[in-house]
Amino acid sequence: MPTFERADKSVERLAKELIEKYESHKPLAEIGPQIDYVFAYGDVDDEGRQLNDALTKGGLKALGITKIIALKERALSRGDVEIALDGDWWKQATDDQQAALLDHELHHISIKADKSGNVQYDDLGRPKIKLRKHDAERHSVEPSPTVYSGSIR
C-alpha cells in the first residue's frame, strides 16, 4: 500500500508561481482556496525495487490526482482541495515536467459561482469547488503519454 507525506514547500512555491502566471488560474489567486499538496510513494522491496504504483486511477498509473476534500475534513483543518503527486516520479522529473504536471492538476480546480458570477461558499465560509475535466494541454513538455493524470469527483 502506498505511503503519503505532505509535499515540501517547493511544491507550494511552484504552484503559487503557476497560479500567478496563467490567466486561467486567476480565480484561484483571487479567491484563494486552500490546496493541500501531498506526495504518494509506491512500496519497495528489500532491494529498493518499486512493487506498485504510487497513484492509480481506473487501474492506470497516475502522476497526479486532484480531488475535493470533504466538508468534514475541511472542518478538521484540511484544505479545500488536495493535489496528490507521484513522489517517486517527481524526484526524477525535470523542472519543466514538474511545472507541467502541477499546472495540469491546478487547471482541474474551479470555483463554483452562481449565474451572476457570485462565488458560492460552504457552511464553513470557504469557497465551494468543482473539478474541471480535461480539455486542453498548454505545455509542450508532457508528464508522460502513457499514464493518467486527472481528477476524482
Side-chain angles (χ1 to χ4, degrees):
M1 178 168 222
T3 58
F4 298 89
E5 70 179 21
R6 184 172 295 279
D8 58 64
K9 293 291 183 187
S10 68
V11 176
E12 274 186 58
R13 285 191 299 272
L14 177 56
K16 186 175 189 280
E17 290 173 20
L18 294 167
I19 288 169
E20 292 171 0
K21 180 177 182 178
Y22 292 110
E23 183 69 23
S24 63
H25 296 321
K26 187 176 181 180
L28 300 181
E30 291 175 349
I31 306 302
Q34 295 176 27
I35 304 171
D36 289 348
Y37 302 95
V38 62
F39 282 136
Y41 299 96
D43 296 319
V44 293
D45 64 16
D46 293 337
E47 283 83 42
R49 292 181 299 241
Q50 192 165 340
L51 300 172
N52 55 1
D53 295 322
L55 296 170
T56 59
K57 172 77 167 89
L60 297 174
K61 176 182 175 75
L63 297 180
I65 297 176
T66 301
K67 72 174 193 168
I68 296 170
I69 296 176
L71 184 64
K72 178 181 174 184
E73 291 183 61
R74 293 165 89 179
L76 297 172
S77 300
R78 288 288 316 271
D80 301 312
V81 67
E82 174 185 284
I83 295 179
L85 302 165
D86 182 327
D88 300 309
W89 176 87
W90 190 269
K91 284 189 247 181
Q92 56 81 33
T94 66
D95 290 347
D96 286 343
Q97 289 172 320
Q98 290 174 350
L101 177 61
L102 189 54
D103 178 58
H104 174 91
E105 295 305 322
L106 288 166
H107 186 72
H108 285 296
I109 304 168
S110 179
I111 308 297
K112 281 189 177 183
D114 64 20
K115 291 181 181 183
S116 300
N118 299 312
V119 174
Q120 296 179 348
Y121 293 91
D122 64 19
D123 294 340
L124 301 171
R126 291 166 60 176
K128 288 185 177 181
I129 307 293
K130 63 182 178 178
L131 296 179
R132 283 185 260 214
K133 295 182 179 182
H134 295 98
D135 58 357
E137 304 296 332
R138 73 167 127 235
H139 295 277
S140 60
V141 178
E142 293 292 325
S144 171
T146 60
V147 297
Y148 178 85
S149 174
S151 59
I152 295 179
R153 296 189 183 261

